[in-house]
Amino acid sequence: MTTSFDQSVQAVRDGADPFAQAAYLYEQLTDDERLGLLDGDQPFWQGMADMMQVGYNAAPYVHGAVERMGIPGTRFVDGPRGCVSGQGTAFPVSMARGATWDVDLEERVGEAIGTEVRAVGGNFFGGVCINLPRHPAWGRIQETYGEDTCILGEMGAALTRGVQRYAMACAKHYALNSMENKRFQVDVTIDEASLHEQYLPHFKRVVDEGVAAIMSAYNSVNGQWAGQNRYLLHEVLREQWGWDGITVSDFIWGLRDAATSLNNGLDLEEPFAQQRAQNLRRQLAAGETSWLMVRRAGLRLLAAQLRSYAFRKDVPEDSSLLATAEHRALAREAATRAMTLLKNDDVDGSPILPLSSQLDTIAVIGRLATAENMGDSGSSMVHPPSHVTPVDGIRAACPGARIVLVADDDPQAAARAASRADVAIIVAGFDKHDEGEWVGGDTMNDPVLTRLFPALPAGAEAPTGDANAVMTAGYGGDRSHLTLREVDDEIIRAVVAANSRTVVTLVGAGPIIMESWRNKIPAIVMMWYAGMEGGHALADVLFGAANPSGRLPFSIPTSEDHLPAFNRDWTAVTYDRWHGQRLLDRLGVEAAFPLGWGLSYCAYRLDGAQVIASTGQGAERVITVRVRVTNTGARDGIQVIQVYGRGGAHREETQLLGFATVEVRAGRSAEVDVPVRLTQLGSWDPQVGRIVLTDGPVCLDVAFHAHDANAVPLVV
């Protein structure tokens, strides 16, 4: 049967204005249905019980469905490392995918995730995470793409493009969300210029790409909760950027007052019938908000659904589309491309990597060598039907080798195994206990937060169950330090003393300070949280089936003293424009590994660069730089071209402006066009409400990493 919603979808497909059709549908709704558009369909305590007993987002969370008219509502499935509902493909975490610097690959990942979201009955993917990690101790750094707004914007836009061929995409967490343990309490103070020049451009980039939705953050910004922050939700998104998508809250504690959130620009409360369900009618009657505000939000929500349904590709609701062979292969490709070779020194006259697959004995060392370690156990956790650990991948790549496994925290046992092996591979780093999303036990007992819950139904008891099914309950969170565990450092030093042919493989998401052993180890590989096929991908790189092409999406300092101040228990903090590589530059200190760093099993040379096109004006100007790259090695490979620039109001700073990947055959050359956006060289002008670029030359460095001594200079 054709419904009213179906008819409006067809009208939009035929060229009708989505908002006109949304108004047509809205006028047919009852007042209860109009209010029902603005929050979740499941009663709060029922939803909490399901979360405790069945698991987080085991099925899509539905908001604003109206069955009699065929209005589907938003059917939320979380991310960003894959489809959380069902048994989806566990891709590498976003930070690992950021290390590929490959927007085309990320777009393909988005298409796969969008397909799986639809296969489980979803139509809305809440996993385009583009928060800027001011400090690398942030617990959820694994969910974002890098330290720089340019990387965040381009990779987020790519994921959005891929997902939205199948479902609505939602970018999060807007804005200034980069602390985990106190995310429900912290107030972030920031000046207007730093906000617009460093912390919002990536959201603007994704908005310009046409993202369907933006999720607000838990934290407060300049004294007003992000979920009801008029400046962020209305003045910036609507008035300055002209965006007409939908704003949604973060879950359960994402707003503090129903009427205020509605008035200030929040369209949808997620995921259950909670504050708006219990308070909005009373607040309407009291004049604290109006039906005009209800209509404004309702039209946006309906228009977003109409736009998506009118132009999305068809996908059946079919669980056989989850974790298909094609998607597993894509997960392995992404993980392989993400592997970042930080160091590869000579041992006995030649680089230690790649290893021979014909080795007799391989010592595999570390508690994480056998771990199912694909990231934290929070809202981004995917439940794939299988996984490949590092030792699994090494065994598969070297079926004839004797594998000596030491998984215990025992430096002496590790050294003994290494002394009898041809090579020692150490797998060290972090897991969900060390970093990740965090909901502490005090959260569920904080009266400031629990008063946001509806009253329990008469005779009912609060739901009980495994708290880990909700989020993480007491582990994870912000990192307390940026070094490995002390025992890991001891193991590394003991092993390399016993066997000079030692490779350290690091599992984690952000910078790891390794000064106590970095100069003693010949080879270091950043494995990341590499997803369900990560063990195979690691072996592909270690044994030379793949030429490593990952590049750091952040800088790694030599000391925590070279980072912004950070305390995970702060409830008030001030942000400025200085973090990451640019802070190191300002301090005049070298990085252990700079932004964009990564080695390969071949060598590349930049043979020239020129500007071939320019569009737009001022800070909106985009230039195209054509670069010629030569592979002087004996292996085919993929190189990342990075363009850094200086100019405008902040001409003393070197900023990343664009990047592209290029495949270059052994002994051959190839050309690649790099889009370079000048936005980051501009400064915020409050009088006109936008970024402006002052007149004057722009100096570019076409490079393989930040401050590359062999960069090709250009002046435009």
Side-chain angles (χ1 to χ4, degrees), residues 354-379:
L355 301 170
S356 169
S357 60
Q358 304 303 312
L359 297 171
D360 292 328
T361 304
I362 303 171
V364 180
I365 296 163
R367 66 183 178 121
L368 301 181
T370 60
E372 180 185 351
N373 192 22
M374 294 177 282
D376 74 3
S377 59
S379 60

Side-chain angles (χ1 to χ4, degrees), residues 142 179 196 229 330 390 433 546:
Q142 63 190 263
M179 292 177 65
H196 283 275
N229 189 304
L330 180 59
H433 297 88

Side-chain angles (χ1 to χ4, degrees), residues 59-340:
Y61 291 125
V62 182
H63 313 78
V66 183
E67 186 176 354
R68 71 179 183 86
M69 293 179 59
I71 296 171
T74 61
R75 312 178 80 86
F76 181 102
V77 175
D78 220 331
R81 55 182 133 132
C83 173
V84 168
S85 301
Q87 290 189 304
T89 306
F91 289 96
V93 296
S94 296
M95 188 63 82
R97 304 193 320 258
T100 71
W101 297 62
D102 191 330
V103 294
D104 293 333
L105 176 60
E106 185 64 3
E107 190 168 334
R108 287 194 284 136
V109 170
E111 288 193 88
I113 292 173
T115 300
E116 295 193 2
V117 166
R118 289 281 300 284
V120 298
N123 65 13
F124 186 103
F125 177 61
V128 183
C129 186
I130 52 173
N131 291 118
L132 190 154
R134 167 186 173 269
H135 192 285
W138 177 40
R140 289 177 75 175
I141 196 170
Q142 63 190 263
E143 294 188 45
T144 195
Y145 291 107
E147 73 173 31
D148 192 277
T149 183
C150 177
I151 301 173
L152 297 172
E154 295 307 316
M155 297 298 282
L159 186 65
T160 295
R161 286 193 298 273
V163 168
Q164 289 199 162
R165 294 190 178 95
Y166 300 92
M168 293 173 275
C170 176
K172 64 184 185 184
H173 306 85
Y174 179 75
L176 302 175
N177 176 39
S178 61
M179 292 177 65
E180 184 63 11
N181 288 36
K182 294 297 180 182
R183 57 182 167 155
F184 305 117
Q185 291 90 22
V186 67
D187 178 48
V188 182
T189 303
I190 191 169
D191 65 273
E192 199 172 2
S194 296
L195 175 67
H196 283 275
E197 292 170 14
Q198 291 298 322
Y199 288 88
L200 293 188
H202 36 287
F203 283 100
K204 174 68 159 57
R205 176 70 183 89
V206 175
V207 160
D208 290 344
E209 195 62 44
V211 73
I214 287 179
M215 177 186 285
S216 59
Y218 285 123
N219 53 275
S220 176
V221 176
N222 290 334
Q224 192 173 44
W225 298 109
Q228 51 197 53
N229 189 304
R230 178 176 174 80
Y231 182 74
L232 291 175
L233 297 174
H234 182 75
E235 293 180 35
V236 173
L237 284 178
R238 309 301 184 183
E239 294 181 348
Q240 294 174 8
W241 295 355
W243 182 66
D244 64 1
I246 57 177
T247 52
V248 305
S249 76
D250 209 336
F251 281 20
I252 302 176
W253 303 286
L255 57 100
R256 303 302 173 96
D257 181 79
T260 303
S261 70
L262 185 61
N263 294 338
N264 288 353
L266 186 76
D267 297 322
L268 179 64
E269 179 183 14
E270 295 186 315
F272 307 131
Q274 191 181 339
Q275 295 181 69
R276 288 182 172 179
Q278 64 178 327
N279 296 324
L280 210 49
R281 271 198 175 275
R282 172 183 58 77
Q283 292 176 316
L284 282 163
E288 296 174 33
T289 188
S290 69
W291 282 100
L292 183 63
M293 296 292 100
V294 174
R295 185 177 190 275
R296 181 181 70 176
L299 293 189
R300 290 173 183 157
L301 290 158
L302 292 170
Q305 294 171 57
L306 290 169
R307 269 193 292 230
S308 178
Y309 276 65
F311 303 111
R312 67 183 193 172
K313 295 182 179 180
D314 290 333
V315 177
E317 189 170 335
D318 181 354
S319 62
S320 70
L321 298 178
L322 301 178
T324 61
E326 179 184 3
H327 290 179
R328 290 170 188 252
L330 180 59
R332 182 168 177 170
E333 178 186 355
T336 303
R337 291 284 308 282
M339 298 287 163
T340 305

Side-chain angles (χ1 to χ4, degrees), residues 44-62:
F44 178 82
W45 289 110
Q46 178 187 332
M48 292 294 283
D50 286 352
M51 197 182 291
M52 286 283 190
Q53 295 160 14
V54 181
Y56 171 79
N57 211 176
Y61 291 125
V62 182

Side-chain angles (χ1 to χ4, degrees), residues 397-479:
C398 302
R402 175 173 174 258
I403 306 297
V404 180
L405 175 66
V406 180
D408 296 331
D409 288 335
D410 188 335
Q412 290 72 38
R416 287 193 299 271
S419 69
R420 299 191 294 267
D422 298 313
V423 66
I425 301 171
I426 301 172
V427 184
F430 307 115
D431 64 13
K432 64 185 179 182
H433 297 88
D434 303 305
E435 61 180 352
E437 189 166 6
W438 189 85
V439 179
D442 60 337
T443 303
M444 299 301 290
N445 297 310
D446 183 346
V448 174
L449 299 177
T450 57
R451 72 184 181 201
L452 304 177
F453 299 171
L456 277 165
E461 296 183 359
T464 60
D466 181 4
N468 292 339
V470 182
M471 293 292 177
T472 55
Y475 54 78
D478 298 313
R479 287 159 64 185

Side-chain angles (χ1 to χ4, degrees), residues 493-513:
R493 290 191 292 266
V495 167
V496 75
N499 189 335
S500 62
R501 299 183 67 79
T502 294
V503 179
V504 173
T505 297
L506 294 173
V507 180
I512 298 171
I513 293 178

